[in-house]
Amino acid sequence: MESIFNLKYDDLVDYFLSIGEKKFKADQVFRWIYEKRVYDFSQMSNISKELQEKLKEHFDISMLTLRTKQESKDTNKYLFELADGNTIEAVLMKHDYGNSVCVSSQVGCNMGCSFCESGRLKKVRDLEASEIVRQILMIDDESDTRVSSVVVMGIGEPFDNYNNVMNFIRIINDDRGIKIGARHITVSTSGLVPMIDKYGDENIQTNLAISLHAPNNELRSKLMKVNKAYPIEQVIDAIKRYIDKTNRRVTIEYLLLDKVNDTTECAIELSELLRGLNVYVNLIPYNETSHIEYKKSNNERVMNFYDVLKKHGINVTVRRRFGSEIDAACGQLRAKEVN
Ligand code: SAH
Ligand code: SF4
């Protein structure tokens, strides 16, 4: 049975029209689910009993199962179980300006980046839009303040599951639903060039983040095998096209790995690569994992890298370390459970 959480508002309208019902039923059901958070067709009091029965026969309205939750001061980490028994994770980060949630887009990931737990475990399958939407609902329902921003930076490569991720975005962005503003939604990709182009054509004010992690092909190919398919100059060209089309600033993610990609030379090379582009660099302290050899750069090396970029006129920030004590980086909690 199809999950009701797979349907965009327009899909729900089409469904009601197809069974000879009025269009406004879509509005009612959408609001029951996403505004009132009622996950039971029998409780939708302005829907006739007969129509409730039809909906029950046609749609699954069940939630995900919460397997474990790890809590720290500013971060909650959730491991959810899907209907087929697979597990995925999502992270809630509490900032002074609101809550942001990091969602997974696939079970595992096929990109195989050498530093990443999700890549080490390979892709089992794509997530449906409904499974991404429900990560938000589950977390939003159980935390005291509403989710105000969303990043697609959990397990998986979102652009390897493009359509479902875009449907997810349309659903959470809808004014009749969860209403997360497009400017508060960010998709992070390892650099699938054709999909960056497609994303630029979506006509929506969401954000794009690119996981670059190295300033040249030699080093990037060692860290990210996707670089062999889409080398760095192609990624940079795609970023330029994206900025030309959307007029939006792009985030460059750069993970700092001790003595691998955190040298002064790398910082200079990165500055040259990015010169003149409307981007800002987010330096990410590496979360070490027991399965992978890389170490995180110490503070001094992080600050040196930061200073060199600054000196070369690049906009740069160092990402706050969220929940490092609770395995909050990409795929770490799932990796622990799966092994
Ligand atoms: N596949 C997409 C989105 C998910 S990964 C992408 O690669 O962009 C989200 C971010 O987490 C990426 O920038 C990735 O490089 C980073 N990441 C992976 N493992 C990490 C770790 N152990 N510590 C810190 N960041 C990590
Ligand atoms: Fe996949 Fe992103 Fe991890 Fe690379 S960093 S393996 S693309 S999830």
Side-chain angles (χ1 to χ4, degrees), residues 14-135:
D14 289 346
Y15 167 73
F16 282 113
L17 293 177
S18 78
I19 59 166
E21 291 285 343
K22 292 272 184 330
K23 197 178 153 182
F24 73 88
K25 291 286 159 205
D27 209 77
Q28 292 177 330
V29 170
F30 211 76
R31 288 182 196 275
W32 275 113
I33 298 173
Y34 294 112
E35 271 185 8
K36 305 197 186 100
R37 306 292 165 87
V38 169
Y39 310 131
D40 178 356
F41 293 120
S42 343
Q43 284 181 38
M44 301 184 179
S45 51
N46 55 4
I47 307 289
S48 71
K49 284 269 166 312
E50 195 194 335
L51 188 51
Q52 288 178 3
E53 287 310 313
K54 263 194 201 155
L55 288 166
K56 278 186 220 168
E57 274 164 32
H58 206 83
F59 293 112
D60 174 41
I61 195 168
S62 59
M63 276 285 125
L64 307 176
T65 308
L66 177 61
R67 266 265 286 268
T68 53
K69 176 179 162 189
Q70 293 182 358
E71 241 172 306
S72 70
K73 188 166 61 54
D74 55 9
T75 313
N76 292 352
K77 173 122 182 171
Y78 304 82
L79 188 76
F80 294 121
E81 185 175 319
L82 308 172
D84 63 1
N86 277 307
T87 52
I88 47 161
E89 56 192 64
V91 181
L92 168 70
M93 290 158 285
K94 301 169 206 164
H95 316 261
D96 347 322
Y97 55 84
N99 285 348
S100 70
V101 170
C102 173
V103 293
S104 293
S105 58
Q106 298 178 315
V107 182
C109 181
N110 270 348
M111 300 300 130
C113 301
S114 59
F115 49 80
C116 175
E117 286 282 8
S118 304
R120 199 174 59 79
L121 293 176
K122 298 282 179 319
K123 179 171 102 172
V124 178
R125 67 171 175 87
D126 289 332
L127 292 187
E128 290 179 12
S130 69
E131 292 168 322
I132 319 178
V133 169
R134 282 178 286 172
Q135 295 172 51

Side-chain angles (χ1 to χ4, degrees), residues 4-15:
I4 188 98
F5 304 104
N6 268 334
L7 278 70
K8 300 188 295 295
Y9 178 79
D10 291 347
D11 301 329
L12 207 51
V13 169
D14 289 346
Y15 167 73

Side-chain angles (χ1 to χ4, degrees), residues 139-193:
I139 292 176
D140 206 18
D141 292 351
E142 78 117 49
S143 51
D144 31 12
T145 45
R146 280 285 155 108
V147 171
S148 52
S149 63
V150 170
V151 294
V152 188
M153 285 189 191
I155 302 169
E157 168 47 54
F159 283 177
D160 182 40
N161 184 18
Y162 188 87
N163 291 340
N164 291 344
V165 167
M166 284 319 296
N167 283 344
F168 155 74
I169 288 175
R170 304 271 175 204
I171 293 168
I172 62 165
N173 176 235
D174 199 295
D175 270 349
R176 292 148 293 211
I178 311 178
K179 291 198 202 74
I180 299 190
R183 286 165 191 276
H184 301 278
I185 300 173
T186 302
V187 179
S188 170
T189 179
S190 57
L192 304 188
V193 166

